[in-house]
Amino acid sequence: MRLKPIPPGLSLDNPHDRKLPPSRVPRAIQYLGIALFLLGIALASVFALSDHWRRATFTLGASMLWLAVLRLGCDSRNLGVLSVRSRKFDTAFCCCFGGAMVFLSASVDALGS
């Protein structure tokens, strides 16, 4: 069985988003938003490694909510592996997951109080 070669420029295209119009947000702003998301993930990792799990949970949840905003406004090609399914599914998943994490971090009492 032979596989068809991927034409140049289509390797990062999300097949669910091929019919969507390009984003009106400038590419530099899209990359800045992705950098802020990655900074949030790194900060959540630092909090988790330093045993500040509530801060880590809140930061990770807020980063996932930011990813939902990015998914709505950025092109799939710029997001790369962060755009898994369709734009609606990814946004709904990130909102639910991020919202649940922020809720959990806010609703659990601190151990010292």
Side-chain angles (χ1 to χ4, degrees):
M1 181 167 112
R2 274 196 145 171
L3 297 175
K4 291 182 183 178
I6 297 174
L10 290 180
S11 60
L12 291 179
D13 285 347
N14 187 336
H16 302 285
D17 293 342
R18 284 192 181 149
K19 295 181 182 179
L20 293 176
S23 176
R24 288 186 259 156
V25 178
R27 180 175 267 181
I29 301 296
Q30 292 181 32
Y31 284 129
L32 179 65
I34 295 168
L36 288 174
F37 169 72
L38 294 174
L39 180 68
I41 296 297
L43 187 61
S45 300
V46 168
F47 283 145
L49 291 173
S50 62
D51 288 333
H52 296 294
W53 62 271
R54 287 181 67 198
R55 291 178 190 168
T57 306
F58 179 81
T59 307
L60 185 60
S63 296
M64 291 301 292
L65 291 173
W66 178 246
L67 181 61
V69 172
L70 286 177
R71 187 64 178 107
L72 284 176
C74 292
D75 292 323
S76 296
R77 173 171 271 176
N78 294 341
L79 285 173
V81 297
L82 298 175
S83 63
V84 179
R85 298 283 180 194
S86 68
R87 192 173 277 180
K88 290 178 185 177
F89 178 84
D90 287 347
T91 302
F93 177 79
C94 289
C95 281
C96 292
F97 184 71
M101 291 191 75
V102 168
F103 174 75
L104 279 173
S105 69
S107 65
V108 174
D109 252 350
L111 296 175
S113 60

PDB file of all heavy atoms in Angstrom, residues 37 41 57-72 79 81-103:
ATOM      1  N   PHE A  37       0.561  31.704  26.425  1.00  0.00           N
ATOM      2  CA  PHE A  37       0.050  30.395  26.850  1.00  0.00           C
ATOM      3  C   PHE A  37       1.185  29.507  27.347  1.00  0.00           C
ATOM      4  O   PHE A  37       1.075  28.882  28.412  1.00  0.00           O
ATOM      5  CB  PHE A  37      -0.697  29.721  25.695  1.00  0.00           C
ATOM      6  CG  PHE A  37      -1.026  28.285  25.961  1.00  0.00           C
ATOM      7  CD1 PHE A  37      -2.010  27.939  26.861  1.00  0.00           C
ATOM      8  CD2 PHE A  37      -0.338  27.268  25.318  1.00  0.00           C
ATOM      9  CE1 PHE A  37      -2.310  26.603  27.121  1.00  0.00           C
ATOM     10  CE2 PHE A  37      -0.624  25.944  25.562  1.00  0.00           C
ATOM     11  CZ  PHE A  37      -1.609  25.610  26.468  1.00  0.00           C
ATOM     12  N   ILE A  41       1.904  27.805  31.091  1.00  0.00           N
ATOM     13  CA  ILE A  41       2.169  26.385  31.339  1.00  0.00           C
ATOM     14  C   ILE A  41       3.477  26.232  32.120  1.00  0.00           C
ATOM     15  O   ILE A  41       3.562  25.432  33.066  1.00  0.00           O
ATOM     16  CB  ILE A  41       2.223  25.604  30.014  1.00  0.00           C
ATOM     17  CG1 ILE A  41       0.869  25.632  29.316  1.00  0.00           C
ATOM     18  CG2 ILE A  41       2.683  24.170  30.221  1.00  0.00           C
ATOM     19  CD1 ILE A  41      -0.250  24.970  30.074  1.00  0.00           C
ATOM     20  N   THR A  57      -2.785  24.721  39.907  1.00  0.00           N
ATOM     21  CA  THR A  57      -4.079  24.362  39.338  1.00  0.00           C
ATOM     22  C   THR A  57      -4.772  25.586  38.751  1.00  0.00           C
ATOM     23  O   THR A  57      -5.312  25.535  37.643  1.00  0.00           O
ATOM     24  CB  THR A  57      -4.975  23.709  40.407  1.00  0.00           C
ATOM     25  OG1 THR A  57      -4.277  22.625  40.991  1.00  0.00           O
ATOM     26  CG2 THR A  57      -6.286  23.226  39.824  1.00  0.00           C
ATOM     27  N   PHE A  58      -4.734  26.692  39.490  1.00  0.00           N
ATOM     28  CA  PHE A  58      -5.351  27.916  38.984  1.00  0.00           C
ATOM     29  C   PHE A  58      -4.652  28.405  37.714  1.00  0.00           C
ATOM     30  O   PHE A  58      -5.301  28.779  36.734  1.00  0.00           O
ATOM     31  CB  PHE A  58      -5.329  29.013  40.053  1.00  0.00           C
ATOM     32  CG  PHE A  58      -5.934  30.303  39.567  1.00  0.00           C
ATOM     33  CD1 PHE A  58      -7.305  30.465  39.563  1.00  0.00           C
ATOM     34  CD2 PHE A  58      -5.138  31.328  39.091  1.00  0.00           C
ATOM     35  CE1 PHE A  58      -7.869  31.642  39.098  1.00  0.00           C
ATOM     36  CE2 PHE A  58      -5.695  32.501  38.622  1.00  0.00           C
ATOM     37  CZ  PHE A  58      -7.065  32.664  38.631  1.00  0.00           C
ATOM     38  N   THR A  59      -3.328  28.410  37.725  1.00  0.00           N
ATOM     39  CA  THR A  59      -2.574  28.898  36.571  1.00  0.00           C
ATOM     40  C   THR A  59      -2.790  28.004  35.353  1.00  0.00           C
ATOM     41  O   THR A  59      -2.944  28.499  34.228  1.00  0.00           O
ATOM     42  CB  THR A  59      -1.073  28.985  36.908  1.00  0.00           C
ATOM     43  OG1 THR A  59      -0.911  29.757  38.097  1.00  0.00           O
ATOM     44  CG2 THR A  59      -0.292  29.635  35.802  1.00  0.00           C
ATOM     45  N   LEU A  60      -2.815  26.701  35.560  1.00  0.00           N
ATOM     46  CA  LEU A  60      -3.066  25.779  34.446  1.00  0.00           C
ATOM     47  C   LEU A  60      -4.481  25.960  33.899  1.00  0.00           C
ATOM     48  O   LEU A  60      -4.693  25.965  32.688  1.00  0.00           O
ATOM     49  CB  LEU A  60      -2.835  24.335  34.879  1.00  0.00           C
ATOM     50  CG  LEU A  60      -2.935  23.282  33.794  1.00  0.00           C
ATOM     51  CD1 LEU A  60      -1.901  23.537  32.700  1.00  0.00           C
ATOM     52  CD2 LEU A  60      -2.747  21.903  34.377  1.00  0.00           C
ATOM     53  N   GLY A  61      -5.458  26.128  34.784  1.00  0.00           N
ATOM     54  CA  GLY A  61      -6.833  26.362  34.342  1.00  0.00           C
ATOM     55  C   GLY A  61      -6.976  27.672  33.580  1.00  0.00           C
ATOM     56  O   GLY A  61      -7.641  27.728  32.535  1.00  0.00           O
ATOM     57  N   ALA A  62      -6.335  28.723  34.079  1.00  0.00           N
ATOM     58  CA  ALA A  62      -6.378  30.013  33.384  1.00  0.00           C
ATOM     59  C   ALA A  62      -5.681  29.922  32.029  1.00  0.00           C
ATOM     60  O   ALA A  62      -6.128  30.525  31.041  1.00  0.00           O
ATOM     61  CB  ALA A  62      -5.729  31.097  34.244  1.00  0.00           C
ATOM     62  N   SER A  63      -4.611  29.143  31.958  1.00  0.00           N
ATOM     63  CA  SER A  63      -3.921  28.949  30.679  1.00  0.00           C
ATOM     64  C   SER A  63      -4.805  28.203  29.683  1.00  0.00           C
ATOM     65  O   SER A  63      -4.797  28.512  28.489  1.00  0.00           O
ATOM     66  CB  SER A  63      -2.615  28.180  30.888  1.00  0.00           C
ATOM     67  OG  SER A  63      -1.721  28.922  31.671  1.00  0.00           O
ATOM     68  N   MET A  64      -5.561  27.243  30.167  1.00  0.00           N
ATOM     69  CA  MET A  64      -6.476  26.510  29.278  1.00  0.00           C
ATOM     70  C   MET A  64      -7.608  27.412  28.796  1.00  0.00           C
ATOM     71  O   MET A  64      -8.032  27.317  27.639  1.00  0.00           O
ATOM     72  CB  MET A  64      -7.040  25.279  29.986  1.00  0.00           C
ATOM     73  CG  MET A  64      -6.021  24.195  30.236  1.00  0.00           C
ATOM     74  SD  MET A  64      -5.251  23.575  28.733  1.00  0.00           S
ATOM     75  CE  MET A  64      -6.626  22.749  27.961  1.00  0.00           C
ATOM     76  N   LEU A  65      -8.092  28.308  29.658  1.00  0.00           N
ATOM     77  CA  LEU A  65      -9.104  29.265  29.219  1.00  0.00           C
ATOM     78  C   LEU A  65      -8.520  30.218  28.173  1.00  0.00           C
ATOM     79  O   LEU A  65      -9.190  30.592  27.208  1.00  0.00           O
ATOM     80  CB  LEU A  65      -9.661  30.041  30.410  1.00  0.00           C
ATOM     81  CG  LEU A  65     -10.522  29.235  31.374  1.00  0.00           C
ATOM     82  CD1 LEU A  65     -10.868  30.058  32.602  1.00  0.00           C
ATOM     83  CD2 LEU A  65     -11.782  28.749  30.678  1.00  0.00           C
ATOM     84  N   TRP A  66      -7.260  30.617  28.349  1.00  0.00           N
ATOM     85  CA  TRP A  66      -6.583  31.457  27.370  1.00  0.00           C
ATOM     86  C   TRP A  66      -6.414  30.696  26.045  1.00  0.00           C
ATOM     87  O   TRP A  66      -6.558  31.281  24.977  1.00  0.00           O
ATOM     88  CB  TRP A  66      -5.246  31.928  27.906  1.00  0.00           C
ATOM     89  CG  TRP A  66      -4.474  32.758  26.936  1.00  0.00           C
ATOM     90  CD1 TRP A  66      -3.299  32.452  26.349  1.00  0.00           C
ATOM     91  CD2 TRP A  66      -4.844  34.047  26.415  1.00  0.00           C
ATOM     92  NE1 TRP A  66      -2.906  33.455  25.503  1.00  0.00           N
ATOM     93  CE2 TRP A  66      -3.834  34.446  25.525  1.00  0.00           C
ATOM     94  CE3 TRP A  66      -5.936  34.881  26.617  1.00  0.00           C
ATOM     95  CZ2 TRP A  66      -3.885  35.652  24.838  1.00  0.00           C
ATOM     96  CZ3 TRP A  66      -5.981  36.082  25.931  1.00  0.00           C
ATOM     97  CH2 TRP A  66      -4.967  36.458  25.052  1.00  0.00           C
ATOM     98  N   LEU A  67      -6.139  29.399  26.116  1.00  0.00           N
ATOM     99  CA  LEU A  67      -6.023  28.590  24.905  1.00  0.00           C
ATOM    100  C   LEU A  67      -7.349  28.544  24.154  1.00  0.00           C
ATOM    101  O   LEU A  67      -7.365  28.537  22.922  1.00  0.00           O
ATOM    102  CB  LEU A  67      -5.535  27.181  25.238  1.00  0.00           C
ATOM    103  CG  LEU A  67      -5.339  26.238  24.063  1.00  0.00           C
ATOM    104  CD1 LEU A  67      -4.287  26.783  23.096  1.00  0.00           C
ATOM    105  CD2 LEU A  67      -4.938  24.856  24.554  1.00  0.00           C
ATOM    106  N   ALA A  68      -8.461  28.539  24.876  1.00  0.00           N
ATOM    107  CA  ALA A  68      -9.774  28.570  24.217  1.00  0.00           C
ATOM    108  C   ALA A  68      -9.936  29.865  23.427  1.00  0.00           C
ATOM    109  O   ALA A  68     -10.430  29.856  22.292  1.00  0.00           O
ATOM    110  CB  ALA A  68     -10.892  28.425  25.248  1.00  0.00           C
ATOM    111  N   VAL A  69      -9.495  30.972  24.011  1.00  0.00           N
ATOM    112  CA  VAL A  69      -9.558  32.255  23.304  1.00  0.00           C
ATOM    113  C   VAL A  69      -8.644  32.218  22.082  1.00  0.00           C
ATOM    114  O   VAL A  69      -9.017  32.682  20.997  1.00  0.00           O
ATOM    115  CB  VAL A  69      -9.172  33.412  24.254  1.00  0.00           C
ATOM    116  CG1 VAL A  69      -9.029  34.714  23.505  1.00  0.00           C
ATOM    117  CG2 VAL A  69     -10.189  33.541  25.368  1.00  0.00           C
ATOM    118  N   LEU A  70      -7.450  31.657  22.249  1.00  0.00           N
ATOM    119  CA  LEU A  70      -6.519  31.550  21.133  1.00  0.00           C
ATOM    120  C   LEU A  70      -7.091  30.692  20.010  1.00  0.00           C
ATOM    121  O   LEU A  70      -6.928  31.000  18.833  1.00  0.00           O
ATOM    122  CB  LEU A  70      -5.193  30.937  21.592  1.00  0.00           C
ATOM    123  CG  LEU A  70      -4.263  31.805  22.407  1.00  0.00           C
ATOM    124  CD1 LEU A  70      -3.049  30.997  22.828  1.00  0.00           C
ATOM    125  CD2 LEU A  70      -3.837  33.021  21.624  1.00  0.00           C
ATOM    126  N   ARG A  71      -7.743  29.615  20.384  1.00  0.00           N
ATOM    127  CA  ARG A  71      -8.286  28.696  19.380  1.00  0.00           C
ATOM    128  C   ARG A  71      -9.358  29.378  18.535  1.00  0.00           C
ATOM    129  O   ARG A  71      -9.509  29.095  17.359  1.00  0.00           O
ATOM    130  CB  ARG A  71      -8.852  27.452  20.072  1.00  0.00           C
ATOM    131  CG  ARG A  71      -9.288  26.372  19.127  1.00  0.00           C
ATOM    132  CD  ARG A  71      -8.124  25.831  18.340  1.00  0.00           C
ATOM    133  NE  ARG A  71      -8.563  24.762  17.470  1.00  0.00           N
ATOM    134  CZ  ARG A  71      -8.681  24.874  16.144  1.00  0.00           C
ATOM    135  NH1 ARG A  71      -8.368  25.983  15.538  1.00  0.00           N
ATOM    136  NH2 ARG A  71      -9.097  23.853  15.434  1.00  0.00           N
ATOM    137  N   LEU A  72     -10.096  30.304  19.159  1.00  0.00           N
ATOM    138  CA  LEU A  72     -11.117  31.028  18.401  1.00  0.00           C
ATOM    139  C   LEU A  72     -10.513  32.059  17.459  1.00  0.00           C
ATOM    140  O   LEU A  72     -11.034  32.303  16.382  1.00  0.00           O
ATOM    141  CB  LEU A  72     -12.088  31.727  19.356  1.00  0.00           C
ATOM    142  CG  LEU A  72     -13.104  30.850  20.048  1.00  0.00           C
ATOM    143  CD1 LEU A  72     -13.918  31.676  21.027  1.00  0.00           C
ATOM    144  CD2 LEU A  72     -14.008  30.186  19.038  1.00  0.00           C
ATOM    145  N   LEU A  79      -1.181  27.565  15.376  1.00  0.00           N
ATOM    146  CA  LEU A  79      -1.291  26.834  16.636  1.00  0.00           C
ATOM    147  C   LEU A  79      -0.624  25.462  16.572  1.00  0.00           C
ATOM    148  O   LEU A  79      -0.214  24.929  17.592  1.00  0.00           O
ATOM    149  CB  LEU A  79      -2.757  26.667  17.034  1.00  0.00           C
ATOM    150  CG  LEU A  79      -3.429  27.904  17.586  1.00  0.00           C
ATOM    151  CD1 LEU A  79      -4.910  27.660  17.773  1.00  0.00           C
ATOM    152  CD2 LEU A  79      -2.804  28.333  18.880  1.00  0.00           C
ATOM    153  N   VAL A  81       0.156  21.846  16.911  1.00  0.00           N
ATOM    154  CA  VAL A  81      -0.391  20.695  17.630  1.00  0.00           C
ATOM    155  C   VAL A  81      -1.422  21.091  18.686  1.00  0.00           C
ATOM    156  O   VAL A  81      -2.078  20.225  19.260  1.00  0.00           O
ATOM    157  CB  VAL A  81       0.731  19.864  18.303  1.00  0.00           C
ATOM    158  CG1 VAL A  81       1.652  19.292  17.272  1.00  0.00           C
ATOM    159  CG2 VAL A  81       1.479  20.681  19.322  1.00  0.00           C
ATOM    160  N   LEU A  82      -1.595  22.374  18.954  1.00  0.00           N
ATOM    161  CA  LEU A  82      -2.611  22.807  19.909  1.00  0.00           C
ATOM    162  C   LEU A  82      -4.008  22.820  19.300  1.00  0.00           C
ATOM    163  O   LEU A  82      -4.985  22.966  20.016  1.00  0.00           O
ATOM    164  CB  LEU A  82      -2.266  24.197  20.457  1.00  0.00           C
ATOM    165  CG  LEU A  82      -0.953  24.288  21.230  1.00  0.00           C
ATOM    166  CD1 LEU A  82      -0.677  25.726  21.611  1.00  0.00           C
ATOM    167  CD2 LEU A  82      -0.982  23.399  22.447  1.00  0.00           C
ATOM    168  N   SER A  83      -4.103  22.687  17.989  1.00  0.00           N
ATOM    169  CA  SER A  83      -5.411  22.586  17.339  1.00  0.00           C
ATOM    170  C   SER A  83      -5.623  21.128  16.944  1.00  0.00           C
ATOM    171  O   SER A  83      -5.117  20.655  15.950  1.00  0.00           O
ATOM    172  CB  SER A  83      -5.483  23.505  16.123  1.00  0.00           C
ATOM    173  OG  SER A  83      -4.554  23.131  15.154  1.00  0.00           O
ATOM    174  N   VAL A  84      -6.381  20.417  17.755  1.00  0.00           N
ATOM    175  CA  VAL A  84      -6.517  18.975  17.595  1.00  0.00           C
ATOM    176  C   VAL A  84      -7.726  18.616  16.748  1.00  0.00           C
ATOM    177  O   VAL A  84      -7.620  17.893  15.768  1.00  0.00           O
ATOM    178  CB  VAL A  84      -6.619  18.293  18.983  1.00  0.00           C
ATOM    179  CG1 VAL A  84      -6.772  16.802  18.835  1.00  0.00           C
ATOM    180  CG2 VAL A  84      -5.412  18.631  19.817  1.00  0.00           C
ATOM    181  N   ARG A  85      -8.854  19.122  17.118  1.00  0.00           N
ATOM    182  CA  ARG A  85     -10.110  18.818  16.414  1.00  0.00           C
ATOM    183  C   ARG A  85     -10.633  20.093  15.765  1.00  0.00           C
ATOM    184  O   ARG A  85      -9.881  21.004  15.476  1.00  0.00           O
ATOM    185  CB  ARG A  85     -11.143  18.255  17.403  1.00  0.00           C
ATOM    186  CG  ARG A  85     -10.723  16.968  18.042  1.00  0.00           C
ATOM    187  CD  ARG A  85     -10.898  15.854  17.074  1.00  0.00           C
ATOM    188  NE  ARG A  85     -10.500  14.594  17.697  1.00  0.00           N
ATOM    189  CZ  ARG A  85     -10.307  13.514  17.021  1.00  0.00           C
ATOM    190  NH1 ARG A  85     -10.480  13.494  15.734  1.00  0.00           N
ATOM    191  NH2 ARG A  85      -9.935  12.411  17.627  1.00  0.00           N
ATOM    192  N   SER A  86     -11.928  20.179  15.627  1.00  0.00           N
ATOM    193  CA  SER A  86     -12.512  21.386  15.044  1.00  0.00           C
ATOM    194  C   SER A  86     -12.400  22.540  16.033  1.00  0.00           C
ATOM    195  O   SER A  86     -12.174  22.343  17.231  1.00  0.00           O
ATOM    196  CB  SER A  86     -13.979  21.143  14.683  1.00  0.00           C
ATOM    197  OG  SER A  86     -14.749  20.976  15.847  1.00  0.00           O
ATOM    198  N   ARG A  87     -12.574  23.735  15.521  1.00  0.00           N
ATOM    199  CA  ARG A  87     -12.449  24.926  16.361  1.00  0.00           C
ATOM    200  C   ARG A  87     -13.474  24.919  17.488  1.00  0.00           C
ATOM    201  O   ARG A  87     -13.163  25.249  18.633  1.00  0.00           O
ATOM    202  CB  ARG A  87     -12.615  26.159  15.477  1.00  0.00           C
ATOM    203  CG  ARG A  87     -12.243  27.437  16.139  1.00  0.00           C
ATOM    204  CD  ARG A  87     -12.278  28.581  15.172  1.00  0.00           C
ATOM    205  NE  ARG A  87     -11.019  28.600  14.441  1.00  0.00           N
ATOM    206  CZ  ARG A  87     -10.722  29.490  13.518  1.00  0.00           C
ATOM    207  NH1 ARG A  87     -11.585  30.414  13.198  1.00  0.00           N
ATOM    208  NH2 ARG A  87      -9.565  29.454  12.902  1.00  0.00           N
ATOM    209  N   LYS A  88     -14.710  24.513  17.188  1.00  0.00           N
ATOM    210  CA  LYS A  88     -15.762  24.481  18.215  1.00  0.00           C
ATOM    211  C   LYS A  88     -15.449  23.456  19.299  1.00  0.00           C
ATOM    212  O   LYS A  88     -15.609  23.732  20.494  1.00  0.00           O
ATOM    213  CB  LYS A  88     -17.113  24.156  17.579  1.00  0.00           C
ATOM    214  CG  LYS A  88     -17.662  25.257  16.727  1.00  0.00           C
ATOM    215  CD  LYS A  88     -18.972  24.819  16.098  1.00  0.00           C
ATOM    216  CE  LYS A  88     -19.482  25.860  15.140  1.00  0.00           C
ATOM    217  NZ  LYS A  88     -20.701  25.442  14.462  1.00  0.00           N
ATOM    218  N   PHE A  89     -15.020  22.272  18.904  1.00  0.00           N
ATOM    219  CA  PHE A  89     -14.732  21.226  19.889  1.00  0.00           C
ATOM    220  C   PHE A  89     -13.563  21.630  20.778  1.00  0.00           C
ATOM    221  O   PHE A  89     -13.627  21.493  22.003  1.00  0.00           O
ATOM    222  CB  PHE A  89     -14.423  19.892  19.195  1.00  0.00           C
ATOM    223  CG  PHE A  89     -14.081  18.800  20.164  1.00  0.00           C
ATOM    224  CD1 PHE A  89     -15.083  18.076  20.777  1.00  0.00           C
ATOM    225  CD2 PHE A  89     -12.756  18.520  20.478  1.00  0.00           C
ATOM    226  CE1 PHE A  89     -14.773  17.075  21.688  1.00  0.00           C
ATOM    227  CE2 PHE A  89     -12.440  17.525  21.386  1.00  0.00           C
ATOM    228  CZ  PHE A  89     -13.455  16.800  21.992  1.00  0.00           C
ATOM    229  N   ASP A  90     -12.476  22.109  20.178  1.00  0.00           N
ATOM    230  CA  ASP A  90     -11.311  22.501  20.962  1.00  0.00           C
ATOM    231  C   ASP A  90     -11.648  23.619  21.936  1.00  0.00           C
ATOM    232  O   ASP A  90     -11.207  23.612  23.092  1.00  0.00           O
ATOM    233  CB  ASP A  90     -10.166  22.952  20.046  1.00  0.00           C
ATOM    234  CG  ASP A  90      -9.504  21.803  19.326  1.00  0.00           C
ATOM    235  OD1 ASP A  90      -9.740  20.635  19.705  1.00  0.00           O
ATOM    236  OD2 ASP A  90      -8.744  22.068  18.378  1.00  0.00           O
ATOM    237  N   THR A  91     -12.440  24.584  21.489  1.00  0.00           N
ATOM    238  CA  THR A  91     -12.820  25.697  22.364  1.00  0.00           C
ATOM    239  C   THR A  91     -13.688  25.203  23.514  1.00  0.00           C
ATOM    240  O   THR A  91     -13.473  25.579  24.672  1.00  0.00           O
ATOM    241  CB  THR A  91     -13.557  26.774  21.555  1.00  0.00           C
ATOM    242  OG1 THR A  91     -12.703  27.221  20.499  1.00  0.00           O
ATOM    243  CG2 THR A  91     -13.933  27.943  22.423  1.00  0.00           C
ATOM    244  N   ALA A  92     -14.662  24.363  23.219  1.00  0.00           N
ATOM    245  CA  ALA A  92     -15.536  23.832  24.273  1.00  0.00           C
ATOM    246  C   ALA A  92     -14.739  22.996  25.273  1.00  0.00           C
ATOM    247  O   ALA A  92     -14.927  23.115  26.495  1.00  0.00           O
ATOM    248  CB  ALA A  92     -16.658  23.006  23.661  1.00  0.00           C
ATOM    249  N   PHE A  93     -13.832  22.160  24.777  1.00  0.00           N
ATOM    250  CA  PHE A  93     -13.029  21.319  25.660  1.00  0.00           C
ATOM    251  C   PHE A  93     -12.143  22.173  26.565  1.00  0.00           C
ATOM    252  O   PHE A  93     -12.075  21.937  27.779  1.00  0.00           O
ATOM    253  CB  PHE A  93     -12.169  20.357  24.842  1.00  0.00           C
ATOM    254  CG  PHE A  93     -11.268  19.502  25.677  1.00  0.00           C
ATOM    255  CD1 PHE A  93     -11.767  18.391  26.326  1.00  0.00           C
ATOM    256  CD2 PHE A  93      -9.934  19.828  25.844  1.00  0.00           C
ATOM    257  CE1 PHE A  93     -10.947  17.605  27.123  1.00  0.00           C
ATOM    258  CE2 PHE A  93      -9.106  19.061  26.635  1.00  0.00           C
ATOM    259  CZ  PHE A  93      -9.614  17.941  27.275  1.00  0.00           C
ATOM    260  N   CYS A  94     -11.470  23.154  25.991  1.00  0.00           N
ATOM    261  CA  CYS A  94     -10.581  24.007  26.789  1.00  0.00           C
ATOM    262  C   CYS A  94     -11.362  24.828  27.810  1.00  0.00           C
ATOM    263  O   CYS A  94     -10.893  25.026  28.932  1.00  0.00           O
ATOM    264  CB  CYS A  94      -9.764  24.923  25.882  1.00  0.00           C
ATOM    265  SG  CYS A  94      -8.506  24.064  24.940  1.00  0.00           S
ATOM    266  N   CYS A  95     -12.560  25.298  27.435  1.00  0.00           N
ATOM    267  CA  CYS A  95     -13.387  26.052  28.381  1.00  0.00           C
ATOM    268  C   CYS A  95     -13.842  25.166  29.540  1.00  0.00           C
ATOM    269  O   CYS A  95     -13.785  25.577  30.706  1.00  0.00           O
ATOM    270  CB  CYS A  95     -14.596  26.660  27.679  1.00  0.00           C
ATOM    271  SG  CYS A  95     -14.228  28.134  26.753  1.00  0.00           S
ATOM    272  N   CYS A  96     -14.304  23.970  29.233  1.00  0.00           N
ATOM    273  CA  CYS A  96     -14.764  23.060  30.292  1.00  0.00           C
ATOM    274  C   CYS A  96     -13.625  22.638  31.201  1.00  0.00           C
ATOM    275  O   CYS A  96     -13.739  22.692  32.428  1.00  0.00           O
ATOM    276  CB  CYS A  96     -15.435  21.835  29.682  1.00  0.00           C
ATOM    277  SG  CYS A  96     -16.990  22.189  28.874  1.00  0.00           S
ATOM    278  N   PHE A  97     -12.515  22.228  30.609  1.00  0.00           N
ATOM    279  CA  PHE A  97     -11.370  21.764  31.389  1.00  0.00           C
ATOM    280  C   PHE A  97     -10.762  22.903  32.203  1.00  0.00           C
ATOM    281  O   PHE A  97     -10.509  22.765  33.397  1.00  0.00           O
ATOM    282  CB  PHE A  97     -10.334  21.156  30.437  1.00  0.00           C
ATOM    283  CG  PHE A  97      -9.154  20.553  31.128  1.00  0.00           C
ATOM    284  CD1 PHE A  97      -9.280  19.378  31.838  1.00  0.00           C
ATOM    285  CD2 PHE A  97      -7.912  21.160  31.063  1.00  0.00           C
ATOM    286  CE1 PHE A  97      -8.187  18.813  32.479  1.00  0.00           C
ATOM    287  CE2 PHE A  97      -6.816  20.614  31.700  1.00  0.00           C
ATOM    288  CZ  PHE A  97      -6.952  19.433  32.408  1.00  0.00           C
ATOM    289  N   GLY A  98     -10.542  24.040  31.567  1.00  0.00           N
ATOM    290  CA  GLY A  98      -9.962  25.186  32.264  1.00  0.00           C
ATOM    291  C   GLY A  98     -10.885  25.728  33.334  1.00  0.00           C
ATOM    292  O   GLY A  98     -10.449  26.064  34.442  1.00  0.00           O
ATOM    293  N   GLY A  99     -12.180  25.818  33.022  1.00  0.00           N
ATOM    294  CA  GLY A  99     -13.142  26.294  34.017  1.00  0.00           C
ATOM    295  C   GLY A  99     -13.234  25.372  35.217  1.00  0.00           C
ATOM    296  O   GLY A  99     -13.336  25.829  36.362  1.00  0.00           O
ATOM    297  N   ALA A 100     -13.194  24.064  34.982  1.00  0.00           N
ATOM    298  CA  ALA A 100     -13.229  23.109  36.091  1.00  0.00           C
ATOM    299  C   ALA A 100     -11.985  23.241  36.967  1.00  0.00           C
ATOM    300  O   ALA A 100     -12.078  23.178  38.203  1.00  0.00           O
ATOM    301  CB  ALA A 100     -13.345  21.685  35.555  1.00  0.00           C
ATOM    302  N   MET A 101     -10.830  23.445  36.346  1.00  0.00           N
ATOM    303  CA  MET A 101      -9.599  23.579  37.135  1.00  0.00           C
ATOM    304  C   MET A 101      -9.596  24.871  37.954  1.00  0.00           C
ATOM    305  O   MET A 101      -9.178  24.869  39.117  1.00  0.00           O
ATOM    306  CB  MET A 101      -8.377  23.514  36.223  1.00  0.00           C
ATOM    307  CG  MET A 101      -8.184  22.132  35.645  1.00  0.00           C
ATOM    308  SD  MET A 101      -6.618  21.951  34.844  1.00  0.00           S
ATOM    309  CE  MET A 101      -5.556  21.829  36.255  1.00  0.00           C
ATOM    310  N   VAL A 102     -10.056  25.964  37.366  1.00  0.00           N
ATOM    311  CA  VAL A 102     -10.133  27.226  38.114  1.00  0.00           C
ATOM    312  C   VAL A 102     -11.143  27.088  39.252  1.00  0.00           C
ATOM    313  O   VAL A 102     -10.890  27.536  40.373  1.00  0.00           O
ATOM    314  CB  VAL A 102     -10.486  28.393  37.168  1.00  0.00           C
ATOM    315  CG1 VAL A 102     -10.850  29.639  37.944  1.00  0.00           C
ATOM    316  CG2 VAL A 102      -9.329  28.675  36.226  1.00  0.00           C
ATOM    317  N   PHE A 103     -12.285  26.453  38.990  1.00  0.00           N
ATOM    318  CA  PHE A 103     -13.280  26.237  40.041  1.00  0.00           C
ATOM    319  C   PHE A 103     -12.705  25.378  41.169  1.00  0.00           C
ATOM    320  O   PHE A 103     -12.891  25.684  42.349  1.00  0.00           O
ATOM    321  CB  PHE A 103     -14.534  25.580  39.462  1.00  0.00           C
ATOM    322  CG  PHE A 103     -15.534  25.189  40.506  1.00  0.00           C
ATOM    323  CD1 PHE A 103     -16.316  26.149  41.125  1.00  0.00           C
ATOM    324  CD2 PHE A 103     -15.667  23.869  40.896  1.00  0.00           C
ATOM    325  CE1 PHE A 103     -17.229  25.798  42.106  1.00  0.00           C
ATOM    326  CE2 PHE A 103     -16.577  23.500  41.875  1.00  0.00           C
ATOM    327  CZ  PHE A 103     -17.359  24.473  42.477  1.00  0.00           C
TER     328      PHE A 103
END
